[in-house]
Coordinates of all heavy atoms in Angstrom, one line a residue:
M15 N -11.9 -15.3 3.2 CA -12.7 -16.1 2.3 C -12.0 -15.9 0.9 O -11.5 -14.9 0.6 CB -14.1 -15.6 2.2 CG -15.0 -16.3 1.2 SD -16.7 -15.7 1.2 CE -17.3 -17.0 2.2
T16 N -12.0 -17.0 0.1 CA -11.5 -17.0 -1.2 C -12.5 -17.5 -2.2 O -13.3 -18.4 -1.9 CB -10.3 -18.0 -1.3 OG1 -9.3 -17.6 -0.4 CG2 -9.7 -18.0 -2.7
I17 N -12.6 -16.8 -3.3 CA -13.5 -17.2 -4.4 C -12.7 -17.3 -5.7 O -11.8 -16.6 -5.9 CB -14.8 -16.3 -4.6 CG1 -14.3 -14.8 -4.9 CG2 -15.7 -16.3 -3.4 CD1 -15.4 -13.9 -5.3
E18 N -13.2 -18.2 -6.5 CA -12.7 -18.3 -7.9 C -13.8 -18.1 -8.8 O -14.9 -18.7 -8.7 CB -12.0 -19.7 -8.1 CG -10.7 -19.9 -7.5 CD -10.0 -21.1 -8.0 OE1 -10.4 -21.7 -9.0 OE2 -9.0 -21.5 -7.3
L19 N -13.6 -17.2 -9.8 CA -14.6 -16.9 -10.8 C -14.1 -17.1 -12.2 O -12.9 -16.8 -12.5 CB -15.0 -15.4 -10.6 CG -15.4 -15.0 -9.2 CD1 -15.5 -13.5 -9.1 CD2 -16.8 -15.6 -8.9
S20 N -14.9 -17.7 -13.0 CA -14.6 -17.7 -14.5 C -15.1 -16.4 -15.1 O -16.2 -16.0 -14.9 CB -15.4 -18.9 -15.1 OG -14.9 -20.1 -14.6
V21 N -14.2 -15.8 -15.8 CA -14.5 -14.5 -16.3 C -14.3 -14.5 -17.9 O -13.2 -14.8 -18.3 CB -13.6 -13.4 -15.7 CG1 -13.9 -12.0 -16.3 CG2 -13.8 -13.3 -14.2
S22 N -15.4 -14.2 -18.6 CA -15.2 -14.3 -20.1 C -15.1 -12.8 -20.6 O -15.6 -11.9 -20.0 CB -16.4 -15.0 -20.7 OG -17.6 -14.3 -20.3
G23 N -14.4 -12.7 -21.7 CA -14.2 -11.4 -22.3 C -12.8 -10.8 -22.1 O -12.4 -9.8 -22.7
M24 N -11.9 -11.5 -21.2 CA -10.6 -11.0 -21.0 C -9.7 -11.5 -22.2 O -9.7 -12.6 -22.6 CB -10.0 -11.6 -19.7 CG -10.6 -11.2 -18.5 SD -9.7 -11.7 -17.0 CE -9.7 -13.5 -17.2
R25 N -9.0 -10.5 -22.8 CA -8.2 -10.8 -24.0 C -6.8 -10.4 -23.9 O -5.9 -10.9 -24.7 CB -8.8 -10.2 -25.2 CG -10.2 -10.8 -25.6 CD -10.8 -10.1 -26.7 NE -12.1 -10.6 -27.3 CZ -13.1 -11.1 -26.6 NH1 -13.1 -11.1 -25.3 NH2 -14.2 -11.5 -27.2
C26 N -6.4 -9.5 -23.0 CA -5.1 -9.0 -22.9 C -4.7 -8.5 -21.6 O -5.5 -8.5 -20.6 CB -4.9 -7.9 -24.0 SG -6.0 -6.4 -23.6
G27 N -3.5 -8.0 -21.4 CA -3.0 -7.4 -20.2 C -3.8 -6.2 -19.7 O -4.0 -6.0 -18.5
K28 N -4.4 -5.5 -20.6 CA -5.2 -4.3 -20.2 C -6.5 -4.8 -19.6 O -7.0 -4.1 -18.7 CB -5.5 -3.4 -21.4 CG -4.2 -2.6 -21.9 CD -4.5 -1.6 -22.9 CE -3.2 -0.9 -23.3 NZ -3.4 0.2 -24.2
C29 N -7.0 -5.9 -20.1 CA -8.2 -6.4 -19.4 C -7.9 -6.8 -18.0 O -8.7 -6.6 -17.1 CB -8.7 -7.7 -20.2 SG -9.3 -7.3 -21.9
V30 N -6.8 -7.5 -17.8 CA -6.3 -7.9 -16.5 C -6.2 -6.6 -15.6 O -6.7 -6.6 -14.4 CB -5.0 -8.7 -16.5 CG1 -4.5 -8.9 -15.1 CG2 -5.2 -10.0 -17.3
D31 N -5.5 -5.6 -16.1 CA -5.4 -4.4 -15.3 C -6.7 -3.8 -14.9 O -6.9 -3.3 -13.8 CB -4.6 -3.3 -16.1 CG -3.1 -3.8 -16.3 OD1 -2.6 -4.7 -15.6 OD2 -2.5 -3.2 -17.2
K32 N -7.7 -3.8 -15.8 CA -9.0 -3.2 -15.6 C -9.7 -4.0 -14.5 O -10.3 -3.4 -13.6 CB -9.8 -3.2 -16.9 CG -11.1 -2.4 -16.7 CD -11.8 -2.3 -18.1 CE -13.0 -1.4 -18.0 NZ -13.7 -1.3 -19.3
I33 N -9.7 -5.3 -14.5 CA -10.3 -6.1 -13.5 C -9.6 -5.9 -12.2 O -10.3 -5.7 -11.1 CB -10.3 -7.6 -13.9 CG1 -11.2 -7.8 -15.0 CG2 -10.6 -8.5 -12.7 CD1 -11.2 -9.2 -15.6
E34 N -8.3 -5.8 -12.1 CA -7.6 -5.6 -10.9 C -7.9 -4.2 -10.3 O -8.1 -4.1 -9.1 CB -6.1 -5.7 -11.1 CG -5.6 -7.2 -11.3 CD -4.2 -7.3 -11.6 OE1 -3.5 -6.3 -12.0 OE2 -3.7 -8.4 -11.5
K35 N -8.1 -3.2 -11.2 CA -8.4 -1.9 -10.7 C -9.8 -1.9 -10.1 O -10.0 -1.3 -9.0 CB -8.4 -0.9 -11.9 CG -8.8 0.5 -11.5 CD -8.8 1.4 -12.7 CE -9.2 2.8 -12.4 NZ -10.6 3.0 -12.0
F36 N -10.8 -2.4 -10.8 CA -12.2 -2.4 -10.3 C -12.3 -3.2 -9.0 O -12.9 -2.7 -8.0 CB -13.2 -2.9 -11.3 CG -13.6 -1.9 -12.3 CD1 -12.7 -1.4 -13.2 CD2 -14.9 -1.4 -12.3 CE1 -13.1 -0.4 -14.2 CE2 -15.3 -0.5 -13.2 CZ -14.4 0.0 -14.2
I37 N -11.7 -4.4 -8.9 CA -11.8 -5.2 -7.7 C -11.0 -4.5 -6.6 O -11.4 -4.6 -5.4 CB -11.4 -6.6 -7.9 CG1 -12.3 -7.3 -8.9 CG2 -11.3 -7.4 -6.6 CD1 -11.8 -8.7 -9.3
G38 N -9.9 -4.0 -6.9 CA -9.0 -3.4 -5.9 C -9.6 -2.2 -5.2 O -9.1 -1.8 -4.1
E39 N -10.7 -1.6 -5.7 CA -11.3 -0.5 -5.1 C -12.2 -0.9 -4.0 O -12.7 -0.1 -3.2 CB -12.1 0.3 -6.1 CG -11.2 1.0 -7.1 CD -11.9 1.8 -8.2 OE1 -13.2 1.6 -8.3 OE2 -11.3 2.5 -9.0
I40 N -12.5 -2.2 -3.8 CA -13.4 -2.8 -2.8 C -12.6 -2.9 -1.5 O -11.6 -3.6 -1.4 CB -14.0 -4.1 -3.2 CG1 -14.7 -4.0 -4.5 CG2 -14.9 -4.7 -2.1 CD1 -15.1 -5.3 -5.1
E41 N -13.1 -2.3 -0.4 CA -12.5 -2.4 0.9 C -12.6 -3.8 1.4 O -13.7 -4.4 1.3 CB -13.1 -1.5 1.9 CG -12.5 -1.4 3.2 CD -13.1 -0.5 4.2 OE1 -13.9 0.4 3.8 OE2 -12.8 -0.6 5.4
G42 N -11.5 -4.4 1.9 CA -11.5 -5.8 2.4 C -10.9 -6.8 1.5 O -10.6 -7.9 1.9
V43 N -10.6 -6.4 0.2 CA -9.9 -7.3 -0.7 C -8.4 -7.3 -0.4 O -7.8 -6.3 -0.3 CB -10.2 -6.9 -2.2 CG1 -9.3 -7.7 -3.1 CG2 -11.7 -7.0 -2.5
S44 N -7.9 -8.5 -0.2 CA -6.5 -8.7 0.2 C -5.6 -9.2 -1.0 O -4.4 -9.0 -1.0 CB -6.3 -9.5 1.4 OG -6.9 -10.8 1.2
L45 N -6.2 -10.0 -1.9 CA -5.4 -10.6 -3.0 C -6.3 -10.7 -4.2 O -7.5 -11.1 -4.1 CB -4.9 -12.0 -2.6 CG -4.2 -12.7 -3.7 CD1 -2.8 -12.3 -3.8 CD2 -4.3 -14.2 -3.5
I46 N -5.8 -10.3 -5.4 CA -6.4 -10.5 -6.7 C -5.5 -11.2 -7.6 O -4.4 -10.7 -7.8 CB -6.8 -9.1 -7.3 CG1 -7.6 -8.3 -6.3 CG2 -7.6 -9.4 -8.6 CD1 -7.7 -6.8 -6.7
D47 N -5.8 -12.4 -8.0 CA -5.0 -13.2 -8.9 C -5.8 -13.5 -10.2 O -6.7 -14.2 -10.2 CB -4.6 -14.5 -8.3 CG -3.7 -15.4 -9.1 OD1 -3.0 -14.8 -10.0 OD2 -3.7 -16.6 -8.9
V48 N -5.4 -12.8 -11.3 CA -6.1 -12.9 -12.6 C -5.3 -13.8 -13.5 O -4.1 -13.5 -13.7 CB -6.3 -11.5 -13.2 CG1 -7.1 -11.7 -14.6 CG2 -7.1 -10.6 -12.3
N49 N -5.9 -14.9 -13.9 CA -5.2 -15.8 -14.8 C -5.8 -15.7 -16.2 O -6.9 -16.2 -16.5 CB -5.3 -17.3 -14.3 CG -4.5 -18.2 -15.2 OD1 -4.4 -18.1 -16.4 ND2 -3.9 -19.2 -14.5
L50 N -5.2 -14.9 -17.1 CA -5.7 -14.6 -18.4 C -5.9 -15.9 -19.2 O -6.9 -16.1 -19.9 CB -4.8 -13.7 -19.1 CG -5.2 -13.1 -20.5 CD1 -6.5 -12.4 -20.3 CD2 -4.1 -12.1 -21.0
E51 N -4.9 -16.8 -19.2 CA -5.0 -18.1 -20.0 C -6.2 -18.9 -19.6 O -6.8 -19.5 -20.5 CB -3.7 -18.9 -19.8 CG -2.6 -18.7 -20.8 CD -1.5 -19.6 -20.6 OE1 -1.7 -20.8 -20.2 OE2 -0.3 -19.2 -20.9
K52 N -6.4 -19.1 -18.3 CA -7.5 -19.9 -17.8 C -8.8 -19.1 -17.7 O -9.9 -19.7 -17.4 CB -7.2 -20.5 -16.5 CG -6.1 -21.5 -16.5 CD -5.8 -22.1 -15.2 CE -4.7 -23.1 -15.2 NZ -4.4 -23.7 -13.9
A53 N -8.8 -17.8 -18.0 CA -10.0 -16.9 -17.8 C -10.6 -17.1 -16.4 O -11.8 -17.2 -16.3 CB -11.0 -17.2 -18.9
Q54 N -9.7 -17.0 -15.4 CA -10.2 -17.1 -14.0 C -9.6 -16.0 -13.2 O -8.5 -15.5 -13.5 CB -9.7 -18.4 -13.4 CG -10.4 -19.6 -14.0 CD -9.9 -20.9 -13.3 OE1 -8.8 -21.0 -12.8 NE2 -10.8 -21.9 -13.3
V55 N -10.4 -15.6 -12.2 CA -10.0 -14.6 -11.2 C -10.2 -15.2 -9.8 O -11.3 -15.7 -9.5 CB -10.8 -13.3 -11.4 CG1 -10.4 -12.3 -10.3 CG2 -10.7 -12.7 -12.7
R56 N -9.1 -15.2 -9.0 CA -9.2 -15.7 -7.6 C -9.0 -14.4 -6.8 O -8.1 -13.6 -6.9 CB -8.1 -16.7 -7.3 CG -8.2 -17.3 -5.9 CD -7.2 -18.4 -5.8 NE -5.9 -18.1 -5.9 CZ -5.1 -17.7 -4.9 NH1 -5.5 -17.6 -3.7 NH2 -3.8 -17.4 -5.1
V57 N -9.9 -14.3 -5.8 CA -9.9 -13.1 -4.9 C -10.0 -13.6 -3.5 O -10.8 -14.4 -3.1 CB -11.1 -12.2 -5.2 CG1 -11.0 -11.0 -4.3 CG2 -11.1 -11.8 -6.7
E58 N -9.1 -13.1 -2.6 CA -9.2 -13.3 -1.2 C -9.7 -12.0 -0.6 O -9.2 -10.9 -0.9 CB -7.8 -13.7 -0.6 CG -7.3 -15.0 -1.1 CD -5.9 -15.4 -0.5 OE1 -5.5 -14.7 0.4 OE2 -5.4 -16.4 -1.0
F59 N -10.6 -12.2 0.3 CA -11.2 -11.0 0.9 C -11.8 -11.2 2.3 O -12.0 -12.4 2.7 CB -12.3 -10.4 0.0 CG -13.5 -11.3 -0.2 CD1 -14.6 -11.2 0.5 CD2 -13.4 -12.4 -1.1 CE1 -15.7 -12.1 0.3 CE2 -14.4 -13.2 -1.3 CZ -15.6 -13.1 -0.6
N60 N -12.0 -10.2 3.0 CA -12.7 -10.2 4.3 C -13.8 -9.1 4.3 O -13.8 -8.2 3.4 CB -11.7 -10.0 5.5 CG -10.8 -11.1 5.6 OD1 -11.2 -12.3 5.8 ND2 -9.5 -10.8 5.5
T61 N -14.6 -9.1 5.3 CA -15.6 -8.0 5.4 C -14.9 -6.7 5.5 O -13.8 -6.6 6.0 CB -16.5 -8.2 6.6 OG1 -15.7 -8.3 7.8 CG2 -17.4 -9.4 6.5
P62 N -15.4 -5.6 4.9 CA -16.8 -5.5 4.4 C -17.0 -6.0 3.0 O -18.1 -6.0 2.5 CB -17.1 -4.0 4.5 CG -15.8 -3.4 4.2 CD -14.8 -4.4 4.9
A63 N -16.0 -6.5 2.3 CA -16.2 -7.0 0.9 C -17.0 -8.3 0.9 O -17.0 -9.1 1.9 CB -14.8 -7.4 0.3
T64 N -17.8 -8.5 -0.1 CA -18.6 -9.7 -0.3 C -18.4 -10.2 -1.7 O -18.0 -9.5 -2.6 CB -20.1 -9.4 -0.1 OG1 -20.5 -8.5 -1.2 CG2 -20.4 -8.7 1.2
Q65 N -18.8 -11.5 -1.9 CA -18.7 -12.1 -3.2 C -19.5 -11.3 -4.2 O -19.1 -11.0 -5.4 CB -19.2 -13.5 -3.2 CG -19.2 -14.2 -4.6 CD -19.5 -15.7 -4.5 OE1 -19.1 -16.3 -3.5 NE2 -20.1 -16.2 -5.5
E66 N -20.7 -10.8 -3.8 CA -21.6 -10.1 -4.7 C -20.9 -8.8 -5.1 O -21.0 -8.3 -6.3 CB -22.9 -9.8 -4.0 CG -23.8 -11.0 -3.8 CD -23.3 -11.9 -2.6 OE1 -22.6 -11.4 -1.7 OE2 -23.7 -13.1 -2.6
M67 N -20.2 -8.1 -4.2 CA -19.5 -6.8 -4.6 C -18.4 -7.1 -5.6 O -18.2 -6.3 -6.5 CB -18.9 -6.2 -3.3 CG -20.0 -5.7 -2.3 SD -19.3 -5.2 -0.7 CE -18.3 -3.8 -1.2
I68 N -17.7 -8.2 -5.4 CA -16.6 -8.6 -6.4 C -17.2 -8.9 -7.7 O -16.7 -8.4 -8.8 CB -15.8 -9.7 -5.8 CG1 -15.1 -9.3 -4.5 CG2 -14.8 -10.3 -6.8 CD1 -14.5 -10.4 -3.6
I69 N -18.3 -9.7 -7.8 CA -18.9 -10.0 -9.1 C -19.4 -8.7 -9.7 O -19.2 -8.5 -10.9 CB -20.0 -11.0 -8.9 CG1 -19.4 -12.4 -8.5 CG2 -20.9 -11.1 -10.1 CD1 -20.4 -13.4 -8.1
E70 N -20.0 -7.8 -8.9 CA -20.5 -6.5 -9.5 C -19.4 -5.7 -10.1 O -19.5 -5.1 -11.1 CB -21.2 -5.8 -8.3 CG -21.7 -4.4 -8.7 CD -23.2 -4.4 -9.1 OE1 -23.9 -5.4 -8.9 OE2 -23.6 -3.4 -9.6
A71 N -18.2 -5.7 -9.4 CA -17.1 -4.9 -9.9 C -16.6 -5.5 -11.2 O -16.3 -4.7 -12.1 CB -16.0 -5.0 -8.9
I72 N -16.6 -6.8 -11.4 CA -16.2 -7.4 -12.7 C -17.2 -7.1 -13.8 O -16.8 -6.7 -14.9 CB -15.9 -8.9 -12.5 CG1 -14.8 -9.2 -11.5 CG2 -15.7 -9.5 -13.9 CD1 -14.6 -10.6 -11.1
L73 N -18.5 -7.1 -13.4 CA -19.5 -6.8 -14.4 C -19.4 -5.3 -14.8 O -19.5 -5.0 -16.0 CB -20.9 -7.1 -13.8 CG -21.2 -8.6 -13.5 CD1 -22.5 -8.7 -12.8 CD2 -21.2 -9.4 -14.8
D74 N -19.2 -4.5 -13.8 CA -19.0 -3.0 -14.1 C -17.8 -2.8 -15.0 O -17.8 -1.8 -15.7 CB -18.9 -2.2 -12.8 CG -20.2 -2.1 -12.0 OD1 -21.2 -2.5 -12.5 OD2 -20.1 -1.7 -10.8
A75 N -16.8 -3.6 -14.9 CA -15.6 -3.5 -15.7 C -15.8 -3.9 -17.2 O -15.0 -3.7 -18.0 CB -14.4 -4.2 -15.1
G76 N -17.0 -4.6 -17.4 CA -17.4 -4.9 -18.7 C -17.2 -6.4 -19.1 O -17.1 -6.8 -20.3
F77 N -17.1 -7.3 -18.1 CA -16.8 -8.7 -18.3 C -18.0 -9.5 -17.8 O -18.8 -9.0 -16.9 CB -15.5 -9.1 -17.7 CG -14.3 -8.3 -18.2 CD1 -13.9 -7.2 -17.5 CD2 -13.7 -8.7 -19.3 CE1 -12.8 -6.4 -18.0 CE2 -12.6 -7.9 -19.8 CZ -12.2 -6.8 -19.1
E78 N -18.1 -10.8 -18.2 CA -19.1 -11.7 -17.7 C -18.5 -12.6 -16.7 O -17.3 -13.0 -16.8 CB -19.7 -12.5 -18.8 CG -20.5 -11.6 -19.8 CD -21.2 -12.4 -20.9 OE1 -21.4 -13.6 -20.7 OE2 -21.4 -11.9 -22.0
V79 N -19.2 -13.0 -15.7 CA -18.7 -13.8 -14.5 C -19.6 -15.0 -14.3 O -20.8 -15.0 -14.3 CB -18.7 -12.9 -13.2 CG1 -18.2 -13.7 -12.1 CG2 -18.0 -11.7 -13.4
N80 N -18.9 -16.1 -13.9 CA -19.6 -17.3 -13.4 C -18.8 -17.8 -12.2 O -17.6 -18.0 -12.3 CB -19.6 -18.5 -14.5 CG -20.4 -18.1 -15.7 OD1 -21.5 -17.8 -15.5 ND2 -19.8 -18.2 -16.8
A81 N -19.5 -18.0 -11.1 CA -18.8 -18.5 -9.8 C -18.5 -20.0 -9.9 O -19.4 -20.8 -10.3 CB -19.6 -18.2 -8.6
N82 N -17.2 -20.4 -9.7 CA -16.9 -21.8 -9.6 C -17.1 -22.4 -8.3 O -17.6 -23.5 -8.1 CB -15.4 -22.0 -10.0 CG -15.1 -21.6 -11.4 OD1 -16.0 -21.6 -12.3 ND2 -13.9 -21.2 -11.7
N83 N -16.7 -21.6 -7.2 CA -16.8 -22.1 -5.9 C -16.7 -20.9 -4.9 O -16.3 -19.8 -5.4 CB -15.8 -23.2 -5.5 CG -14.4 -22.7 -5.7 OD1 -14.0 -21.6 -5.4 ND2 -13.6 -23.6 -6.2
S84 N -17.0 -21.1 -3.7 CA -16.9 -20.0 -2.7 C -16.5 -20.5 -1.4 O -16.5 -21.7 -1.1 CB -18.1 -19.1 -2.7 OG -19.3 -20.0 -2.4

C-alpha cells in the first residue's frame, strides 16, 4: 500500500531526517520519500504497518499531517 501525506512544519534536511527516522522504525515500511519542497511524504508499506501508525510517527516527530490519498 502507498500513501501520500501533506506534512507541515518541515523546514530543512534535519526535518527530513527526523521524519525518515520515526517512520523507519515501523515494521513493514519499505519506502519513505520525503519531498521538502512540496511538503509531502510518500510511504510504501505492508502489514503490520498501518496508515495510522505512520501518521502517529510523523506527529510524534513534531509535525502536522493531512492525508491526500490512500
Side-chain angles (χ1 to χ4, degrees):
M15 175 178 262
T16 301
I17 59 169
E18 283 190 15
L19 304 166
S20 293
V21 179
S22 57
M24 295 189 301
R25 291 175 175 46
C26 64
K28 288 187 180 188
C29 295
V30 172
D31 292 344
K32 189 172 185 181
I33 288 173
E34 288 175 344
K35 177 185 180 293
F36 276 68
I37 296 173
E39 293 176 353
I40 301 170
E41 185 179 347
V43 171
S44 57
L45 175 83
I46 306 163
D47 180 25
V48 181
N49 186 320
L50 187 58
E51 264 185 35
K52 293 182 179 179
Q54 291 183 329
V55 176
R56 184 170 61 92
V57 182
E58 293 180 12
F59 63 97
N60 293 302
T61 54
T64 65
Q65 178 172 329
E66 291 76 19
M67 291 168 71
I68 293 163
I69 291 171
E70 177 98 10
I72 295 170
L73 295 172
D74 288 348
F77 303 94
E78 294 184 26
V79 181
N80 295 307
N82 294 336
N83 57 42
S84 54

